[in-house]
Amino acid sequence: MQAATLLRANPGPLSLGIFTLLLVQPVMAVNPIIDSNPIERSIELAQNESKETWTLGLGAAWVPRYEGGDDYEFRPVPLIGYSGAGRFSLGIGGLRYNLSSNGAFEFGPTLGYSRGRKENDGALLSGVGEIDGGVDVGFYAQGKIAAWTLQANVIRGVGSAPEGTRVRLGIDHGNELGKDDQLLVGASLTWTDDKYTHAFFGINDAQSLNSGLPIYSAGAGIKSFGANVDWVHSFSPAWFTTFGVSVKRLTGDAADSPIVAEETAFGVSAIVAFRF
């Protein structure tokens, strides 16, 4: 069924969410360069979870051109989000369905889109070929204890290269700085299986011949760990901004890859948004 047909047949939050996801996710997708979880958590702090809320916004992020690269660029970060008392939510990371009736704990399936990688993203990538972006399916769990939030995401690419699995574990703490300001401080680590790690960081025989890089086999393990600080400021009940700073460190086989020019990456993001 086409997205437009679905929207006409059932113009509710689910169909509108899927329609929006199909339209904007290829642009919105920022993984793995930008960790979308802290951005989404900062937006959650600004939203009223007790009622249906749509959020529209636009921002930018200053990040490496590829994971492991040392050249940085600005990327647009459009935002179309939905949250509320229902089961479905939509954000930068994609579409989620909450199977839990416990307000302090959520879990359920996810649907999203991940960026690939271009050869021209960095000099070390010349000759290694391109990695297509594609659809992700997964499962998420999120638990809240006072101001603390624990997160787990399991994601697998479907019908795209690479079809590997990533697992992200995260923790963050939300701090009230006043009536209009909130601060989110968090940390995370990401594990990837051998298929995903080798696709992004390994060098096979053909790639070695084309690029001049040594053959390199990258296996499963903890790919990276990171930390973030995000500030949310509300100008009015409708308008708010988020500003985030993050750092990520590659580790294990990923860090030792011949295509990695810099193991530590920094990122800055800012979004202006309107909620209704």
Side-chain angles (χ1 to χ4, degrees):
M1 180 180 293
Q2 296 295 319
T5 303
L6 174 63
L7 184 59
R8 289 194 299 269
N10 179 24
L14 172 58
S15 60
L16 187 54
I18 294 176
F19 179 72
T20 305
L21 177 71
L22 294 175
L23 284 179
V24 305
Q25 266 295 302
V27 179
M28 292 170 63
V30 286
N31 292 330
I33 306 301
I34 306 171
D35 189 347
S36 63
N37 292 73
I39 299 177
E40 293 201 337
R41 282 285 298 123
S42 65
I43 293 170
E44 284 181 14
L45 293 179
Q47 290 175 327
N48 187 344
E49 297 181 359
S50 64
K51 67 177 183 178
E52 184 178 80
T53 304
W54 282 94
T55 304
L56 301 177
L58 181 63
W62 185 69
V63 292
R65 295 184 64 189
Y66 74 95
E67 194 170 26
D70 57 359
D71 290 331
Y72 283 68
E73 67 177 1
F74 282 99
R75 289 187 180 175
V77 183
L79 168 64
I80 301 179
Y82 168 81
S83 67
R87 300 286 189 177
F88 289 94
S89 62
L90 175 70
I92 292 177
L95 186 67
R96 302 190 306 188
Y97 182 78
N98 179 21
L99 295 171
S100 173
S101 58
N102 185 338
F105 180 69
E106 298 181 11
F107 67 92
T110 63
L111 177 67
Y113 187 95
S114 285
R115 294 178 63 99
R117 190 180 68 194
K118 303 294 185 182
E119 274 197 26
N120 60 9
D121 284 341
L124 290 176
L125 299 179
S126 178
V128 302
E130 299 188 349
I131 300 175
D132 295 332
V135 175
D136 288 330
V137 296
F139 187 88
Y140 86 101
Q142 178 174 291
K144 299 179 181 179
I145 304 174
W148 293 94
T149 300
L150 303 174
Q151 306 165 341
N153 299 80
V154 181
I155 301 171
R156 184 171 182 85
V158 176
S160 62
E163 295 181 342
T165 300
R166 299 103 76 192
V167 178
R168 180 191 182 276
L169 303 177
I171 183 172
D172 64 60
H173 186 273
N175 304 273
E176 294 281 351
L177 300 181
K179 181 174 67 72
D180 299 322
D181 297 279
Q182 299 179 77
L183 191 70
L184 186 75
V185 180
S188 65
L189 66 84
T190 301
W191 176 93
T192 54
D193 67 2
D194 53 357
K195 185 177 291 186
Y196 183 93
T197 309
H198 189 74
F200 274 94
F201 298 97
I203 303 294
N204 59 31
D205 293 355
Q207 290 172 323
S208 177
L209 183 63
N210 292 332
S211 67
L213 296 173
I215 295 173
Y216 181 73
S217 179
I222 297 177
K223 176 183 69 72
S224 62
F225 56 88
N228 65 277
V229 178
D230 292 80
W231 169 49
V232 182
H233 176 72
S234 295
F235 293 97
S236 70
W239 289 94
F240 69 94
T241 60
T242 71
F243 179 79
V245 178
S246 64
V247 59
K248 182 167 65 174
R249 176 82 175 180
L250 292 174
T251 186
D253 285 1
D256 295 334
S257 170
I259 61 98
V260 172
E262 180 57 61
E263 297 177 11
T264 302
F266 299 91
V268 179
S269 65
I271 296 175
V272 178
F274 175 81
R275 56 198 164 205
F276 58 95

